[in-house]
Amino acid sequence: MSPAELSAALGARRPVDDEAFDALLSARARFKSSAHWSKVAVAQQAAAWFDEVGAQRLLDVGAGLGKFCIVAALWLDRPVCGVEQRAHLVEEGRALAKALQADVQLVEGDLRAVEPSGFDGLYFYNPFAEHVANEHERYDDTVPLSTERYLRHARVVERWLRELRVGSHFISYNGIGSRIPTSWEVTAETKLGGSLLRRWRKVRREVGDDALLEVGEQLVSCRALQSLTQRHPTTKDAELVARLVRPFEVTED
């Protein structure tokens, strides 16, 4: 399928095989695509959900080369933004968006490179998991990866979610990797590509400091998890969980 044919199919909201999309990627990006970026069907469903709730300004956190951004921009026929740390993925993604005539802005940098208040819809495909993944599960070694960076990113996202206005939305696929304030509620969910896709809406201003974590497909109170890790300190990843479930602290940015 040529870039023009693929762009037309995505713009017409027709199903597209991931193999057809990924055929336009570089060899390494094509090899890593299934593990690191959303499938076309997932991106199309997420775009449809954003459309249903009227979200106009979308940001993909940890966009890679912009696969979600491109699919969503063509589905919605409007601009979509992504932020990505790896310069070589940003460069490849910009060229790909141009070839597919998708209105996509890829911003190079970490979370400090974007201002979340400019968006009313955020998309997360477990963007920080790579920091605590096994070496063979990481994309490459061109950016620093560590548990400390994972926690810093998670705290920034939690701050975003606490500060975004009531009525904002975000969509998580295979988890978000951050505490989710209890001011957010799930409004839709479905299983696609072996993982859970959830749409969230901010329904009230912040009350208290408790939050939720996505543990597998379950939503669990951080207070409950904190109690569990205190009783079972040898549980796998207990140290990371114990640090993540602590109440939000601005100083951890």
Side-chain angles (χ1 to χ4, degrees):
M1 185 179 287
S2 70
E5 292 170 330
L6 180 61
S7 179
L10 292 171
R13 302 186 174 185
R14 296 199 298 267
V16 170
D17 290 338
D18 284 281
E19 290 78 4
F21 189 102
D22 293 350
L24 302 180
L25 308 183
S26 63
R28 182 173 184 83
R30 187 163 58 249
F31 176 71
K32 291 284 190 175
S33 179
S34 63
H36 286 266
W37 301 306
S38 304
K39 296 181 182 302
V40 171
V42 173
Q44 288 178 322
Q45 179 61 72
W49 277 355
F50 279 131
D51 199 28
E52 283 179 12
V53 297
Q56 297 294 311
R57 301 172 303 281
L58 306 185
L59 173 68
D60 181 7
V61 179
L65 49 66
K67 186 173 181 179
F68 166 81
C69 296
I70 290 169
V71 173
L74 291 171
W75 178 283
L76 298 168
D77 191 25
R78 60 173 176 265
V80 176
C81 182
V83 59
E84 168 58 43
Q85 294 187 81
R86 289 180 168 93
H88 62 93
L89 289 180
V90 171
E91 181 179 2
E92 181 173 352
R94 288 171 177 168
L96 181 62
K98 183 177 181 180
L100 292 173
Q101 297 183 313
D103 193 351
V104 169
Q105 178 189 11
L106 289 178
V107 177
E108 181 186 340
D110 61 18
L111 300 182
R112 294 170 295 184
V114 292
E115 173 50 58
S117 63
F119 302 93
D120 58 358
L122 306 180
Y123 180 77
F124 300 91
Y125 175 19
N126 206 0
F128 315 131
E130 191 179 13
H131 285 280
V132 291
N134 296 326
E135 184 175 353
H136 72 278
E137 296 174 324
R138 298 174 174 178
Y139 189 84
D140 60 27
D141 59 0
T142 59
V143 297
L145 301 169
S146 69
T147 299
E148 295 302 322
R149 288 178 64 84
Y150 172 98
L151 290 166
R152 286 199 297 273
H153 290 320
R155 295 303 189 192
V156 170
V157 167
E158 182 182 355
R159 186 188 68 198
W160 286 6
L161 298 181
R162 290 185 180 277
E163 293 177 352
L164 283 172
R165 68 179 182 276
V166 172
S168 299
H169 296 83
F170 78 83
I171 289 177
S172 60
Y173 183 58
N174 194 30
I176 182 175
S178 167
R179 289 166 40 111
I180 302 168
T182 55
S183 55
W184 292 80
E185 293 183 356
V186 176
T187 59
E189 68 177 36
T190 188
K191 197 162 188 178
L192 283 174
S195 295
L196 200 62
L197 186 72
R198 284 191 174 106
R199 185 180 66 199
W200 300 73
R201 182 175 185 269
K202 188 163 186 176
V203 296
R204 57 182 174 272
R205 299 181 66 180
E206 299 306 321
V207 178
D209 60 10
D210 197 15
L212 301 171
L213 278 178
E214 294 175 294
V215 181
E217 296 183 359
Q218 303 299 313
L219 296 175
V220 185
S221 161
C222 286
R223 287 177 181 167
L225 274 175
Q226 191 170 40
S227 175
L228 178 64
T229 56
Q230 288 170 348
R231 294 198 309 271
H232 303 283
T234 60
T235 302
K236 183 178 182 296
D237 297 328
E239 181 180 354
L240 174 60
V241 172
R243 297 177 66 186
L244 186 59
V245 299
R246 291 184 312 182
F248 172 76
E249 298 175 17
V250 174
T251 56
E252 294 205 30
D253 292 356

